[in-house]
Amino acid sequence: MASRAGIDTKTALRLSQDHQEIKFALKAEFDTDTVLIHTGLGDLVIGGETYLGAGTLLAISDIEDSKELKSAGVTFSISGMDIEVLGYALNENYQNRPISLFMAFVSGGTDDVDGYLTLYKGRMINIDISDDVTGSNITLQTENRLLDLRRPSNIRYTRESQQYLYAGDTSLDQVTKISQMDIEWGRAGGAMSNSVWDGSEALDDEGRQRF
């Protein structure tokens, strides 16, 4: 059995073998449609989706990994693409759209996928287009989702943030009032009573704190 999340038994078995035939598959999710291509020839079925062969027309930059909480982006270069793919690059609002890279293990001499794993998941951030005699060349720059961990969420323990996340929830309605209360616990003349406060006056009929 596989011991790492996202790697099934078939993939784990292929990883343990000495010789592999591997193809890389790119999934770029635009608003209008999803571009599915791979580094081989012919069709390749991964997860129920059919990827078209781009051969050497698809190039992928190095994927860096380290023990630190950081991850460099990955650049994909697509050459000689048809007018449909070029239209996505020119007309779609592509920024922050999901992009995934898979590594597929195929049976020797065939396009049958024996297993696959996700190498990279990120978002598109920039597309550069250049033209030459062979057609349009598209360079797609992406960033890793790990970068979200370094960005402030701007979510606080306040009623406003709680309503934004869970409309109608009242669990944080009294946070502001509590933060401004001056309670001198167990001391005569405190803010809650003229005598030593034992907490009984501040409970409702069901035993809950009254503010």
Side-chain angles (χ1 to χ4, degrees):
M1 294 295 291
S3 59
R4 177 180 172 182
I7 300 180
D8 58 24
T9 304
K10 293 174 61 177
T11 303
L13 180 61
R14 291 300 299 266
L15 286 171
S16 66
Q17 297 175 1
D18 294 333
H19 302 286
Q20 305 288 351
E21 184 170 344
I22 295 173
K23 295 180 181 180
F24 298 96
L26 173 66
K27 180 178 182 179
E29 302 178 49
F30 294 92
D31 283 345
T32 304
D33 202 355
T34 299
V35 176
L36 303 169
I37 55 178
H38 69 91
T39 55
L41 301 176
D43 293 343
L44 194 70
V45 178
I46 299 176
E49 297 178 309
T50 301
Y51 291 73
L52 303 179
T56 58
L57 299 180
L58 172 61
I60 305 167
S61 68
D62 293 337
I63 300 177
E64 300 179 12
D65 197 6
S66 68
K67 295 181 180 180
E68 300 179 15
L69 188 58
K70 67 177 183 179
S71 181
V74 177
T75 300
F76 302 92
S77 299
I78 310 172
S79 304
M81 287 291 98
D82 59 29
I83 191 64
E84 183 178 5
V85 176
L86 181 61
Y88 296 151
L90 290 174
N91 303 319
E92 294 274 348
N93 183 14
Y94 59 83
Q95 289 189 330
N96 293 321
R97 296 303 186 268
I99 189 165
S100 305
L101 177 65
F102 303 99
M103 182 170 68
F105 302 91
V106 298
S107 298
T110 73
D111 289 326
D112 297 331
V113 177
D114 284 341
Y116 69 94
L117 57 85
T118 303
L119 281 184
Y120 175 81
K121 273 186 174 290
R123 286 186 292 261
M124 310 178 208
I125 58 174
N126 189 53
I127 292 180
D128 293 324
I129 303 173
S130 61
D131 294 317
D132 57 26
V133 294
T134 62
S136 298
N137 302 312
I138 300 173
T139 301
L140 180 57
Q141 298 176 348
T142 70
E143 67 176 13
N144 197 295
R145 296 187 304 173
L146 283 175
L147 293 179
D148 286 345
L149 298 177
R150 301 173 59 183
R151 295 190 177 107
S153 67
N154 295 322
I155 299 296
R156 303 289 185 267
Y157 287 103
T158 62
R159 180 183 183 279
E160 291 73 20
S161 291
Q162 189 71 358
Q163 291 301 311
Y164 172 77
L165 295 173
Y166 308 103
D169 187 277
T170 61
S171 60
L172 298 183
D173 284 2
Q174 304 296 334
V175 168
T176 302
K177 187 173 183 179
I178 292 174
S179 66
Q180 297 173 351
M181 295 179 68
D182 184 14
I183 303 176
E184 300 180 17
W185 296 93
R187 296 176 58 184
M192 298 295 294
S193 174
N194 292 327
S195 60
V196 176
W197 185 74
D198 61 7
S200 59
E201 299 90 343
L203 300 179
D204 60 19
D205 295 338
E206 296 182 1
R208 296 177 298 190
Q209 183 73 52
R210 181 188 294 118
F211 295 99

